[in-house]
């Protein structure tokens, strides 16, 4: 096998590749499965070079049948393997929806805990790449609402590298959402570090005192930029990277809200019934007397994802986030 160099920074996509490699080196039961993930290395080249180094018996090119990929992985997981399935694009996950919510999520419960399903489902998600229909969706809410599934998403290379290893090591099924428009963005990473930060803990990525801004996945970078713009106007925004969508780390959220007294939540998925709804409701219940204003939400609209020429109007940007910040402060 080739030995990875230890650079000081990597793009998110390369970091996930490195995390997959390390997981496969550490455990021969880890298998990769997906469409065109072998010789091609996947549409986004996340599995590039892994079939060459580990062989076609561990990096499997599967038929174009998402339900078949997930169903096969369920059987492998029941037999002690740790399959990692790639869904080529977010909008392609729906043919496998029944397998995921009816089988993957329920087998452990159905067998009174006697059967474990240690499988990971990788899902490139979100917009911003100018793609066609079914290539830019944010379906994470469907799975976060499904008991029996863990749902996580990374926003940077260091988290991508560590979180994919933690997901694969979990004895529970994990939906691992990868923000595809951030695949090429570099950030600092230590490839020799152990994955010690808890998988389901949020992270405060920008300290602040005036208002809490919660984001995850592709919008963490946007939220941090909004905080930078606001800082020039004398406003201190605390940005929290949620990281885990199920379970949600309400302890970190509540601590931040109690400090700032105000909360804005943003995500690419539609505002209606999105993750922001649950966060707003829980914070209103638990931090009612700390809130100085209603919780504001910024997200996609209640429409199908638009054509690429219109997606800039659909995706939350710095201006839309700061508008919500201003409305929150005005109360």
């Amino acid at each position: 096998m080739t030995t990875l160099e230890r650079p000081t920074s990597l793009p998110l996509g390369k970091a996930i590749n490195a995390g997959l490699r390390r997981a496969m080196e550490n455990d021969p039961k880890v298998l990769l499965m997906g469409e065109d993930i072998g010789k091609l290395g996947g549409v986004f080249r996340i599995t590039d070079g892994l079939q060459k180094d580990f062989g076609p018996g561990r990096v499997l090119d599967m038929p174009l049948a998402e339900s078949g990929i997930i169903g096969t992985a369920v059987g492998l997981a029941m037999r002690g393997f740790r399959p990692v399935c790639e869904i080529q694009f977010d909008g392609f996950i729906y043919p496998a929806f029944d397998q995921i919510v009816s089988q993957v999520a329920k087998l452990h419960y159905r067998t009174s805990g006697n059967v474990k399903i240690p499988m990971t489902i990788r899902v490139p998600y979100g917009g911003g790449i100018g793609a066609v229909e079914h290539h830019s969706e944010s379906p994470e809410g469907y799975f976060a609402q499904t008991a029996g599934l863990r749902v996580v998403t990374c926003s940077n290379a260091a988290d991508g590298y560590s979180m994919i290893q933690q997901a694969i090591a979990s004895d529970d099924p994990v939906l691992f959402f990868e923000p595809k428009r951030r695949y090429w963005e570099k950030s600092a990473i230590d490839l020799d570090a152990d994955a010690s930060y808890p998988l389901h803990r949020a992270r405060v990525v920008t300290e602040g005192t005036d208002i809490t801004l919660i984001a995850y996945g592709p919008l963490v970078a946007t939220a941090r930029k909004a905080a930078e713009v606001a800082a020039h106007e004398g406003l201190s925004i605390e940005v929290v990277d949620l990281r885990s969508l199920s379970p949600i780390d309400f302890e970190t959220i509540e601590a931040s809200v109690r400090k700032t007294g105000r909360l804005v939540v943003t995500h690419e998925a539609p505002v209606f019934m999105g993750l922001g709804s649950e966060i707003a409701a829980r914070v209103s219940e638990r931090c009612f007397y700390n809130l100085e204003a209603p919780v504001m939400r910024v997200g996609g609209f209640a429409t199908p994802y638009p054509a690429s020429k219109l997606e800039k109007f659909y995706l939350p940007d710095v201006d839309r986030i700061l508008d919500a910040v201003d409305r929150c402060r005005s109360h």
Side-chain angles (χ1 to χ4, degrees):
M1 290 176 203
T2 60
T3 301
L4 283 167
E5 297 179 0
R6 304 299 188 193
T8 56
S9 67
L10 276 180
L12 172 60
K14 291 288 187 183
I16 296 173
N17 176 282
L20 290 169
R21 177 181 293 276
R22 187 167 182 179
M24 296 183 76
E25 290 172 344
N26 291 341
D27 187 348
K29 294 289 189 179
V30 176
L31 309 174
L32 308 188
M33 309 168 63
E35 300 164 5
D36 300 320
I37 68 166
K39 185 176 181 180
L40 181 64
V43 170
F44 296 101
R45 306 298 186 264
I46 305 303
T47 55
D48 188 41
L50 296 179
Q51 189 182 71
K52 177 175 69 69
D53 292 338
F54 293 95
R58 292 188 65 192
V59 182
L60 291 77
D61 276 315
M62 301 293 288
L64 304 183
E66 286 76 16
S67 181
I69 294 170
I70 300 302
T72 302
V74 168
L76 287 165
M78 292 176 70
R79 299 295 293 177
F81 290 91
R82 293 186 178 272
V84 182
C85 304
E86 178 184 292
I87 301 297
Q88 200 171 72
F89 282 93
D90 36 47
F92 299 171
I93 200 169
Y94 303 114
F97 190 82
D98 178 56
Q99 290 280 7
I100 295 170
V101 302
S102 299
Q103 306 300 330
V104 175
K106 293 181 172 61
L107 274 167
H108 186 68
Y109 179 82
R110 187 185 301 152
T111 61
S112 299
N114 290 307
V115 173
K116 294 185 171 104
I117 306 295
M119 61 183 287
T120 303
I121 303 172
R122 294 181 42 242
V123 188
Y125 80 119
I129 64 168
V132 296
E133 189 180 22
H134 301 313
H135 289 68
S136 302
E137 298 175 26
S138 297
E140 62 272 16
Y142 293 122
F143 303 103
Q145 193 183 33
T146 303
L149 299 176
R150 298 179 183 270
V151 184
V152 300
T153 181
C154 54
S155 67
N156 59 77
D159 275 354
Y161 176 65
S162 62
M163 290 173 71
I164 190 63
Q165 294 179 66
Q166 291 170 310
I168 294 169
S170 173
D171 284 335
D172 296 321
V174 180
L175 271 291
F176 192 87
F177 283 90
E178 302 168 7
K180 65 172 82 78
R181 66 164 151 148
R182 305 299 183 191
Y183 273 148
W184 300 273
E185 294 182 6
K186 290 185 176 183
S187 59
I189 179 173
D190 181 1
L191 292 172
D192 294 313
D194 291 326
S196 58
Y197 196 85
L199 178 62
H200 296 294
R201 181 177 294 173
R203 193 195 302 270
V204 176
V205 293
T206 301
E207 298 279 352
T209 57
D210 296 332
I211 191 165
T212 298
L213 174 58
I214 292 177
Y216 60 82
L219 285 188
V220 173
T222 310
R224 298 189 75 174
K225 187 173 181 180
E228 291 175 7
V229 173
H232 292 300
E233 300 175 3
L235 180 64
S236 177
I237 296 180
E238 179 151 294
V239 179
V240 178
D241 181 354
L242 200 56
R243 300 176 79 248
S244 178
L245 311 183
S246 181
I248 292 175
D249 177 12
F250 284 106
E251 183 178 348
T252 297
I253 294 171
E254 291 166 27
S256 180
V257 171
R258 289 192 178 100
K259 177 172 67 171
T260 66
R262 289 177 166 82
L263 174 61
V264 174
V265 187
T266 185
H267 47 63
E268 287 191 14
V271 168
F272 182 73
M273 298 297 288
L275 265 291
S277 302
E278 177 66 21
I279 294 170
R282 292 290 185 100
V283 168
S284 296
E285 289 174 1
R286 300 180 184 184
C287 303
F288 182 80
Y289 292 105
N290 301 100
L291 287 170
E292 301 290 341
V295 178
M296 299 292 175
R297 293 172 289 151
V298 184
F301 302 110
T303 68
Y305 195 89
S308 59
K309 290 182 180 180
L310 299 174
E311 69 177 350
K312 66 181 179 180
F313 302 108
Y314 180 90
L315 295 171
D317 58 11
V318 169
D319 287 340
R320 283 179 60 196
I321 290 172
L322 290 179
D323 175 71
V325 168
D326 288 340
R327 286 186 284 117
C328 192
R329 292 176 65 207
S330 67
H331 283 80

